Amino acid sequence: MTLRRTLAAVLILALGTACASTGGGQEGSAQGGDEEAITLGFSAWPGWFPWQVAQEQGLFAKNGVKVELKYFDSYTDSLTALATGNLDANSQTLNDTLASVSGGARQKIVLVNDNSTGNDQIIARPGIRTVADLKGKTVAAEQGTVDHYLLLLALRKAGLSEDDVTFKPLLTDAAAAAFKAGQVDAVGVFAPFTTTALELPGSTAIATSRDFPGAIPDHLVVDATLVAERPEAVQALVKTWFDTTAWIAANREAAVAIMAKRAGVTPEEYQAYDEGTTIFSLEDNLAAFADGTTDANLNHQAANIAQFLVDSGLTDVKPELDGLFEPRFVKG
């Protein structure tokens, strides 16, 4: 299924039903007062595992918000869940949020969790040393998601397009497993699935998100209705994030143990992801939300990605950027 068809399906579901499958979603305990719980989704990415720490340390309740934390084995299922009203908030990338918005979803970006600075990778089998060497080869990635986007960026930089490779759409975990088994020549995956892919002897990363600074920011994205009707709850989520990063800094060993367990890797393996994910401080957030013309400014990156989505044929409709970024909560 192409991304364009995926977006159309998401929009139809959003308009026509109130219930969609969340696939691999696993529910966490709700915390806080007696008000209706906020459903917050996240999936396997180092910049989002701090939410697990927030839950286990009772930091949502500390900030007076009741949260039902839902972990998704499939990242795309979390995107669909937010777009169809089955989540109030989700952790997702800028380009995937723009893709949802172009399909008609009403979403607000209220927080930058992190920037990917190496943990998204195009990994190739022995003998393939550069992106240019991918011409005529088979490359797997999850259709329409951030590592598909990274692949397109890398191909374009090398003077190629997706037409120059055989693209094999697979869920991220399946893509990593297929590469490890020698079924494809290269794979686009994010940590912790990079660990699986690199278990193929002689494999190496030939392009990473480090090569495209600022191109893959990760966010807390909320349904526009939640911002309009319960802004105090959104503020509490944002406050909880910064409390959580402070707790992690002060309790590093315990925090890594929690996040590694959620990721299904050892604490030592999890430590290796640090360099490839840059967690954003409050000051980083304020700078990112400020209007500007550099790669550090979200409005600039969003404009570039929006045009790229259209130019690459990933969507027919250029996403509307007005009102997408809601900085008042980090300012608050």
Side-chain angles (χ1 to χ4, degrees), residues 227-289:
V227 172
E229 296 181 355
R230 298 183 62 187
E232 74 290 342
V234 178
Q235 186 69 73
L237 290 178
V238 172
K239 176 66 163 57
T240 298
W241 174 261
F242 292 116
D243 285 354
T244 302
T245 57
W247 192 92
I248 291 171
N251 303 273
R252 183 66 187 169
E253 185 175 349
V256 167
I258 292 170
M259 294 186 290
K261 182 179 180 180
R262 175 70 276 180
V265 298
T266 67
E268 291 73 24
E269 287 172 326
Y270 195 89
Q271 291 276 22
Y273 302 146
D274 271 0
E275 187 177 348
T277 305
T278 301
I279 299 294
F280 268 37
S281 66
L282 176 58
E283 291 73 20
D284 292 331
N285 267 268
L286 293 171
F289 275 103

Side-chain angles (χ1 to χ4, degrees), residues 68 90 95 125 158 180 184 197 217 231 251 265 267 289 295 309 326:
E68 184 180 353
N90 190 44
N95 73 299
R125 64 168 171 77
K180 180 182 176 182
V184 295
N251 303 273
V265 298
F289 275 103
D295 289 342
L309 290 173
E326 184 51 85

Side-chain angles (χ1 to χ4, degrees), residues 139-175:
V139 187
E142 189 161 349
Q143 177 85 27
T145 61
V146 65
D147 291 293
H148 186 194
Y149 174 60
L150 177 63
L151 172 64
L152 295 178
L153 285 176
L155 288 172
R156 184 172 69 171
K157 185 177 180 180
L160 303 175
S161 73
E162 192 171 321
D163 292 337
D164 292 307
V165 302
T166 299
F167 180 71
K168 188 176 182 64
L170 293 171
L171 294 178
T172 300
D173 57 346

